[in-house]
Amino acid sequence: MKVLVTGGAGFIGSALCRRLITETDCSVVNFDKLTYAATLSALEPVSRSSRYAFVQADVCDAQALREAFVAHRPDAVAHLAAETHVDRSITGAGAFVMTNVVGTYAVLNAALDYWRELDAGAKDRFRFLHVSTDEVFGSLGEDGTFSETTAYDPRSPYSASKASSDHLVR
């Protein structure tokens, strides 16, 4: 299986890339813009693997996404790319809307276009995993838990943009 991981140089994305390479027989295509949150050094343990490829590009770049799908032919997408951190979203919401909403839309579009070209068996096997955040549910206080039935209650541009991306994926 080949997995295209968006945001694969971020904290969680790099852990996923490392785990897929070291603990499975999957191949990984790391698609990352390399912004402030990216750390290529976290991928050093797997960067020389024949099952690892890196594409430096923005998830808002539809052409780069199309090229990555055509060149690498993934069986699955793990969409982790996102602008993060509530405080940053308050002082610069535009980047969050672009990456988290427009970028998710671009990844979904590229995946759908690619999926339409697959044969019936590959279509059935293809998977798209979108990673969100608990921030979309608001604040818990000191006690409590969120579940799949918890109402959305975003309270910052970050959580609102992630909630929006969740709804696009649905």
Side-chain angles (χ1 to χ4, degrees):
M1 172 178 265
K2 185 178 285 188
V3 181
L4 181 114
V5 179
T6 67
F11 180 72
I12 297 170
S14 63
L16 176 60
C17 289
R18 288 190 311 271
R19 184 174 192 131
L20 288 171
I21 294 294
T22 61
E23 298 182 23
T24 75
D25 61 354
C26 290
S27 295
V28 172
V29 179
N30 175 2
F31 190 99
D32 199 294
K33 185 179 176 182
L34 296 183
T35 63
Y36 69 95
T39 308
L40 277 179
S41 61
L43 293 153
E44 186 61 31
V46 299
S47 64
R48 289 177 191 77
S49 171
S50 62
R51 295 183 293 114
Y52 175 82
F54 175 67
V55 175
Q56 184 175 352
D58 187 336
V59 290
C60 294
D61 185 340
Q63 183 62 33
L65 285 163
R66 274 192 294 280
E67 289 171 4
F69 274 94
V70 169
H72 296 284
R73 315 273 314 147
D75 304 296
V77 174
H79 179 45
L80 287 86
E83 293 289 334
T84 61
H85 302 96
V86 171
D87 291 348
R88 287 186 62 251
S89 76
I90 293 166
T91 60
F96 288 74
V97 172
M98 287 305 297
T99 299
N100 300 351
V101 181
V102 176
T104 295
Y105 176 76
V107 175
L108 284 168
N109 251 2
L112 179 60
D113 288 347
Y114 170 72
W115 179 84
R116 286 180 172 145
E117 301 292 323
L118 297 174
D119 65 42
K123 281 181 178 178
D124 288 342
R125 290 185 302 275
F126 187 82
R127 296 291 180 262
F128 189 102
L129 171 70
H130 169 70
V131 176
S132 187
T133 176
D134 65 336
E135 296 276 343
V136 300
F137 300 119
S139 298
L140 271 180
E142 290 188 32
D143 296 317
T145 59
F146 295 127
S147 75
E148 292 82 5
T149 60
T150 302
Y152 276 55
D153 187 20
R155 299 187 181 190
S156 70
Y158 166 60
S159 58
S161 67
K162 288 300 289 181
S164 185
S165 70
D166 292 353
H167 292 303
L168 287 173
V169 171
R170 280 188 195 187

